[in-house]
Amino acid sequence: MSEKADKQEKLVEENINNAEIVEEMEKSYIDYAMSVIVQRAIPSVEDGLKPVHRRLLYAMYKMGLTPDKPTRKSAKIVGETMGNYHPHGNLAIYDALVRMAQPFSLRYPLVHGQGNFGSMDGDPPGADRYTEAKLKKISSELLNDIEKETVKMLPNFDNTEKEPETLPGKLPNLLLNGTTGIAVGMATNIPPHNLTELCDAITSYIEKPEIEIEELTKIVKGPDFPTGGYAMGEGIKEMYRKGKGKIIMRAKTKIEDNKGKTTIVVTEIPYMVNKAELVKEIAKLATEKKLPDVSDLRDESARGDVRVVIELKKGVEPKYTLNKLYKLTKLQTNFDANILALVERHPRILNLKNVIEEYVKYRRIIVTNRSKFELRKAQERLEIVLGLLIALKKINEIVDLIKKSKNSTEAHDGLVKKFSLTTRQAKAVLETRLQQLTNLESEKLKVEEKKLKEAIEELEKILSSDKEILNVIKKEISELKKNYGDERRTKILRQAEEISEHDMIEKKDVIVTMTSSGYVKRTDIKTYKEQKRGGSGIIGTGLKEEDFVRQLIVCSTHDYLLFFTSRGRVYWVKANDIPSSERQSKGRSIANLLNLKEEEIANIIELKNFEHDYLLIVTKMGMVKKISLKDVSKPRSTGVRIINLPMDWSDSIIDVKRVSEKQEVLLITKKGQAVRFNTNDVRSMGRASYGVRGVDLSSGDEIVSLESLPADGKTTILTATEKGFGKRSNLDEYRKTSRGSKGVISLKTSEKTGKIVGSLSVNESDSVIITTIKGSMIRIGMKGLRVMGRATQGVKIVKLKAGDKVADIVKIPREEIIENTIKENDEK
């Protein structure tokens, strides 16, 4: 190895830091994190500024860009800031300058910008070589007294200049303009506030330091965003109490009716929302039919005033579309407040009172330092004035002494010894011009002496008492309020209700139908009324020849529909989610809508709420189960199991009915037995159980029907058999038996009649549809079917072809019942 290589190796060994890598990495990471926290992302509580903003304002102040001076190129300001105080990228510095000039970003902009400084639509600002800027008048309230030794001055990055650690900050800027910043392991997000309210809160704190946060929140009502709008939610008070809280921001809108066209007009948008992107978002939702009531969209904003016009289709209720806009777009958004700031260079989460305390504490230091500086300067000037007054009294002797002196040093020493002047006074006398030796100047000096003595007395009074310092702070706060205070732009709404799906759906009556072949659809009740006038009726419209309406429900778009399957599951569907179809359409397959596999719908029940009542479930093998509606109130996309059926498919659900306390039900079996009992005989069970015995079935028998009975007991029971026989019997003939019994005979079945296929509770004005296994449909009115004894075989009600059998029996919803429901809903 060469001698040169040996020397290099030794040099490397000497420079190696023998430290654990884990320790070194931890230290380096912590140093980096603290650098980001203190030097970049988190504002100081004293002046509410991050270093880049503070350096920009100070650089502009040093450049003389005060409000009364002309603007200068932004590139010049950026260069001055970067070269003297902030050695970072010019784009980052320019972005900070631009934001301080944007009236939609800061509640009280600190910089006056000339040129293109961006827009609410997200348009970028012009390049810094094209734009110009200077300080706004309100910025002077942050910088005033900086030359009076009020703040600590630190060397800049290259030790060639001095820069302030913090600005004097008469303006309560931390809450006033707010800020946002992401550091390492922490972030700050402070909303802007109204100056008038902040000044009042600070004054109240000075007058009553023990004031509670609740009292302060009555003064500071909430954030005041530069873009206006509404702010709401419990998060506002939470933010003031704990320093953190979620604030709901909502756009300001109004409904206009222009030449019969209803429009929603947005006049103020939430803070930090890009207006152009918002308009695109609304347009996209309208195109995707998620906002089906929107017919046109225009942005008519101009000269800083927001006006986005959303035109609606005819006859549309605007409040439901507006609720959808709040839910689906950034017309309503959240501001996750986190009041994190540097307190004595350490990050800390602050509540409202903490911020005000820190502001007053800092201003006390500034006022004290300023008063000390002004007192020293006043005392120094008074010393000079008193010396000049002595000199004017003995002017001839002083002139003679100066003339006889060999040099200025001898003259200076002579003045000190002979006339008892101080060193400063003697120097001032020697530097006095001859024109100042007039009587007029003498009078001016006497007036100045008097003013200086008064000023010194006032300053000494301030410095002698903490109360006097607080009075000065209070006075300055009052001046701030008078000079810059204004009305709040954001309206605070205390109540913030979550927008539910109901709020986005217009409440109206609809008819939901399900056919025997499993097709479901929703029809506006108005369509039914129009159809009624045409005379074709609702049953069978637009269906295949062998299909018919099996179930018809009159409900509201806000109601729930529960679909119960034969395999023991229940599916939730909101009535509004059933596909809307014209009367000629057959609708959509229920199997596809609910994603069913090898199971059928046993029944559909309409609900407005899940309180009080029960569900009674009946299986083919005679089991009954009562379950509370609350147990099915939490939906799942895959359905909710409500009964534990055997895995071998030996049993299945026949029907489900909604029942109340002490309601009677009737079970009919295939072999003609009927069991009538009270639902109180069945205890309420959990979803995982199988149930209890409802009927003591004989061999080969099974349940074919469940009927919930009216309280008056005046109905009749229609029973139909597979060979076309049927009969009506009075309900009174079906005596009440206990649950689980054999029951009584409902119809004497035989080889001639065949087994029972179904049973219905009917009145004389009802009609039923009987379907056969070969697809025939027969409609029968109950008027023509006489009431007979319970134990009879009945009469032939359907003439069947050879090899055909009755498959099912379904009651047609009476049109007068539908009309009565419509009438009741209309009245409501």
Side-chain angles (χ1 to χ4, degrees):
M1 188 181 289
S2 67
E3 187 178 341
K4 186 177 179 182
D6 284 341
K7 284 181 180 178
Q8 283 181 340
E9 189 176 341
K10 284 179 182 178
L11 190 64
V12 168
E13 286 176 359
E14 286 171 5
N15 289 318
I16 289 175
N17 182 10
N18 292 316
E20 285 285 339
I21 189 166
V22 174
E23 292 176 11
E24 188 64 26
M25 289 295 289
E26 282 178 356
K27 181 179 180 299
S28 299
Y29 183 76
I30 290 168
D31 289 346
Y32 164 71
M34 287 309 297
S35 172
V36 172
I37 291 165
V38 176
Q39 294 297 328
R40 290 194 191 181
I42 309 297
S44 294
V45 73
E46 291 86 357
D47 57 9
L49 296 169
K50 298 179 189 178
V52 64
H53 302 109
R54 186 180 303 117
R55 287 164 175 169
L56 268 164
L57 294 175
Y58 185 65
M60 293 171 79
Y61 171 76
K62 294 295 282 183
M63 291 170 70
L65 296 179
T66 51
D68 56 328
K69 300 289 174 59
T71 54
R72 295 285 295 276
K73 286 289 184 185
S74 299
K76 175 75 173 173
I77 298 167
V78 171
E80 195 77 15
T81 306
M82 183 166 56
N84 290 335
Y85 309 110
H86 200 69
H88 297 281
N90 62 318
L91 282 177
I93 298 170
Y94 184 50
D95 285 345
L97 175 68
V98 165
R99 191 171 188 276
M100 286 197 290
Q102 290 176 333
F104 52 86
S105 292
L106 265 63
R107 180 64 178 82
Y108 299 88
L110 301 173
V111 171
H112 171 76
Q114 189 168 303
N116 174 18
F117 276 79
S119 72
M120 293 173 75
D121 291 327
D123 300 318
D128 57 6
R129 62 184 177 274
Y130 299 123
T131 62
E132 296 184 358
K134 64 177 179 179
L135 293 171
K136 289 202 83 166
K137 188 181 177 184
I138 199 169
S139 300
S140 61
E141 305 299 347
L142 282 169
L143 292 153
N144 277 352
D145 305 324
I146 198 167
E147 304 289 355
K148 295 182 180 179
E149 299 177 3
T150 50
V151 294
K152 188 177 179 182
M153 301 297 287
L154 304 172
N156 69 341
F157 64 90
D158 62 358
N159 224 3
T160 57
E161 295 273 349
K162 293 280 188 181
E163 63 172 313
E165 186 178 35
T166 53
L167 298 183
K170 187 195 296 184
L171 204 65
N173 190 57
L174 183 70
L175 287 180
L176 191 70
N177 277 318
T179 189
T180 182
I182 300 171
V184 178
M186 62 184 69
T188 186
N189 201 23
I190 306 171
H193 286 75
N194 183 269
L195 179 60
T196 302
E197 292 179 0
L198 285 180
C199 289
D200 289 342
I202 292 166
T203 303
S204 297
Y205 170 77
I206 291 170
E207 291 171 350
K208 185 184 173 184
E210 67 278 6
I211 190 170
E212 295 292 331
I213 292 175
E214 281 67 27
E215 290 181 64
L216 289 172
T217 57
K218 291 176 184 176
I219 303 168
V220 182
K221 297 177 178 66
D224 191 20
F225 299 110
T227 53
Y230 297 103
M232 63 194 91
E234 284 300 313
I236 296 174
K237 285 191 174 179
E238 195 75 8
M239 172 185 71
Y240 291 144
R241 281 196 298 264
K242 298 181 180 178
K244 291 183 177 182
K246 185 176 82 171
I247 301 163
I248 299 169
M249 300 184 296
R250 182 179 284 182
K252 186 177 181 182
T253 59
K254 59 182 178 179
I255 310 297
E256 291 183 359
D257 198 345
N258 186 17
K259 295 179 182 177
K261 288 185 177 179
T262 304
T263 56
I264 297 170
V265 180
V266 181
T267 55
E268 294 173 5
I269 63 173
Y271 183 51
M272 301 300 286
V273 168
N274 185 311
K275 180 164 63 65
E277 291 299 320
L278 175 66
V279 173
K280 283 182 189 175
E281 189 180 21
I282 296 169
K284 185 181 177 186
L285 289 170
T287 305
E288 293 172 350
K289 303 296 181 186
K290 290 179 181 176
L291 291 171
D293 297 332
V294 174
S295 63
D296 196 12
L297 176 66
R298 300 185 302 277
D299 186 0
E300 298 177 356
S301 307
R303 296 183 181 179
D305 292 331
V306 174
R307 184 177 169 85
V308 178
V309 179
I310 303 162
E311 205 169 282
L312 304 180
K313 293 175 182 176
K314 278 189 178 180
V316 170
E317 176 60 51
K319 73 174 182 179
Y320 298 106
T321 303
L322 192 54
N323 284 334
K324 282 184 183 178
L325 287 166
Y326 288 146
K327 186 80 173 177
L328 303 174
T329 73
K330 287 188 177 177
L331 278 184
Q332 179 171 306
T333 186
N334 295 333
F335 187 100
D336 294 310
N338 187 33
I339 306 176
L340 178 78
L342 296 176
V343 181
E344 295 177 358
R345 297 177 70 80
H346 289 90
R348 180 178 152 200
I349 291 175
L350 307 163
N351 61 33
L352 177 59
K353 189 174 179 181
N354 294 151
V355 175
I356 293 171
E357 279 174 341
E358 291 298 329
Y359 170 82
V360 174
K361 179 181 170 184
Y362 180 62
R363 285 302 297 167
R364 190 186 279 123
I365 294 168
I366 297 298
V367 171
T368 301
N369 290 347
R370 183 186 66 198
S371 299
K372 285 179 180 178
F373 176 84
E374 289 175 348
L375 177 62
R376 188 176 76 247
K377 291 294 181 182
Q379 286 171 338
E380 289 173 358
R381 179 60 186 167
L382 181 60
E383 182 185 352
I384 300 298
V385 168
L386 290 172
L388 291 174
L389 286 170
I390 292 168
L392 284 171
K393 283 180 183 177
K394 300 177 181 181
I395 189 62
N396 293 330
E397 294 174 52
I398 288 174
V399 170
D400 191 48
L401 185 144
I402 293 170
K403 282 167 69 178
K404 291 177 181 178
S405 299
K406 293 179 182 178
N407 52 44
S408 60
T409 304
E410 188 179 326
H412 179 276
D413 292 341
L415 289 171
V416 170
K417 287 177 184 177
K418 189 172 181 180
F419 299 102
S420 301
L421 297 177
T422 63
T423 302
R424 258 199 217 97
Q425 288 172 334
K427 187 180 178 185
V429 169
L430 288 172
E431 291 174 351
T432 303
R433 295 177 182 179
L434 290 172
Q435 68 181 26
Q436 293 177 286
L437 303 178
T438 63
N439 284 329
L440 183 62
E441 287 298 321
S442 176
E443 289 303 317
K444 283 183 179 179
L445 288 171
K446 286 176 183 177
V447 172
E448 187 179 358
E449 177 193 7
K450 184 183 177 183
K451 287 182 179 178
L452 285 169
K453 284 180 177 178
E454 288 173 355
I456 288 167
E457 185 182 350
E458 182 64 28
L459 290 166
E460 285 175 342
K461 182 184 174 184
I462 290 169
L463 290 168
S464 66
S465 167
D466 189 57
K467 186 179 177 182
E468 290 297 327
I469 292 173
L470 290 173
N471 284 337
V472 172
I473 297 170
K474 201 160 83 169
K475 183 184 174 185
E476 290 177 346
I477 284 293
S478 177
E479 289 170 358
L480 275 179
K481 179 182 172 181
K482 181 182 175 183
N483 294 334
Y484 307 103
D486 58 1
E487 294 294 322
R488 69 163 32 253
R489 297 179 190 174
T490 301
K491 188 175 180 182
I492 304 299
L493 304 177
R494 289 298 173 196
Q495 295 298 322
E497 296 177 4
E498 187 70 25
I499 296 173
S500 67
E501 208 149 342
H502 283 177
D503 297 323
M504 299 189 287
I505 299 167
E506 184 178 359
K507 189 173 183 179
K508 58 183 179 180
D509 293 320
V510 292
I511 291 176
V512 175
T513 58
M514 190 178 78
T515 71
S516 63
S517 56
Y519 285 89
V520 66
K521 70 177 178 180
R522 168 172 59 88
T523 311
D524 196 317
I525 213 153
K526 291 176 185 175
T527 306
Y528 169 75
K529 289 177 180 178
E530 290 162 8
Q531 194 176 322
K532 184 85 170 56
R533 292 188 199 101
S536 61
I538 199 163
I539 304 303
T541 54
L543 302 178
K544 294 182 292 183
E545 192 176 327
E546 68 276 9
D547 203 2
F548 65 95
V549 173
R550 178 179 157 194
Q551 196 165 351
L552 182 148
I553 299 166
V554 180
C555 60
S556 160
T557 48
H558 284 193
D559 291 346
Y560 307 103
L561 295 176
L562 301 188
F563 288 78
F564 297 91
T565 72
S566 57
R567 289 304 300 161
R569 300 190 79 81
V570 59
Y571 291 84
W572 258 50
V573 179
K574 292 186 176 68
N576 195 67
D577 292 338
I578 300 291
S580 177
S581 303
E582 298 299 325
R583 64 187 184 191
Q584 294 82 8
S585 167
K586 67 179 180 180
R588 185 176 170 188
S589 169
I590 193 69
N592 294 336
L593 184 68
L594 302 180
N595 199 20
L596 300 179
K597 293 179 181 177
E598 298 181 31
E599 52 186 333
E600 298 174 353
I601 296 297
N603 195 15
I604 308 171
I605 292 177
E606 165 264 329
L607 288 174
K608 284 183 171 46
N609 56 63
F610 291 84
E611 296 174 1
H612 308 306
D613 285 355
Y614 298 90
L615 294 172
L616 189 72
I617 306 162
V618 178
T619 73
K620 182 173 70 174
M621 301 311 297
M623 300 300 286
V624 293
K625 177 179 178 180
K626 190 167 77 173
I627 183 171
S628 171
L629 275 173
K630 288 181 180 177
D631 290 344
V632 296
S633 62
K634 293 179 181 176
R636 295 178 194 160
S637 58
T638 55
V640 175
R641 182 162 294 283
I642 55 171
I643 189 170
N644 191 15
L645 291 171
M647 296 295 290
D648 60 1
W649 292 62
S650 60
D651 202 0
S652 61
I653 290 179
I654 291 297
D655 203 352
V656 180
K657 290 281 193 294
R658 183 177 182 171
V659 295
S660 57
E661 295 278 356
K662 298 182 181 179
Q663 186 168 355
E664 291 186 355
V665 293
L666 183 70
L667 300 180
I668 305 290
T669 75
K670 185 168 71 173
K671 289 186 176 181
Q673 293 299 114
V675 178
R676 179 181 177 185
F677 62 90
N678 196 299
T679 54
N680 278 7
D681 295 345
V682 184
R683 63 181 176 83
S684 182
M685 306 173 200
R687 290 190 295 108
S689 64
Y690 183 23
V692 294
R693 187 167 298 282
V695 181
D696 184 8
L697 295 173
S698 59
S699 178
D701 203 0
E702 61 187 48
I703 300 291
V704 294
S705 177
L706 162 67
E707 285 298 309
S708 55
L709 303 174
D712 57 13
K714 290 180 181 179
T715 189
T716 59
I717 304 299
L718 169 68
T719 308
T721 71
E722 60 186 359
K723 291 190 177 180
F725 280 79
K727 70 175 182 68
R728 282 171 65 208
S729 302
N730 284 320
L731 178 61
D732 292 343
E733 294 197 27
Y734 293 82
R735 63 181 174 82
K736 193 174 175 182
T737 62
S738 60
R739 172 189 62 77
S741 66
K742 288 279 186 185
V744 297
I745 295 172
S746 173
L747 185 147
K748 278 191 175 179
T749 59
S750 63
E751 186 69 29
K752 177 184 172 183
T753 62
K755 305 298 182 186
I756 291 175
V757 293
S759 183
L760 297 169
S761 60
V762 293
N763 288 320
E764 200 166 282
S765 54
D766 286 330
S767 294
V768 298
I769 286 181
I770 294 175
T771 58
T772 71
I773 59 175
K774 291 190 176 181
S776 296
M777 288 191 300
I778 302 96
R779 180 170 177 165
I780 300 173
M782 294 297 99
K783 266 187 182 178
L785 190 63
R786 67 183 178 86
V787 177
M788 56 186 73
R790 172 177 54 79
T792 61
Q793 284 190 343
V795 295
K796 194 85 170 176
I797 58 173
V798 180
K799 191 175 181 181
L800 299 171
K801 294 177 182 178
D804 203 1
K805 288 183 179 180
V806 173
D808 199 3
I809 175 173
V810 178
K811 181 162 64 174
I812 300 171
R814 297 208 309 263
E815 289 174 346
E816 62 264 30
I817 292 175
I818 298 169
E819 285 177 340
N820 288 338
T821 306
I822 294 168
K823 188 178 177 183
E824 286 172 15
N825 289 344
D826 284 347
E827 286 171 357
K828 287 176 185 175

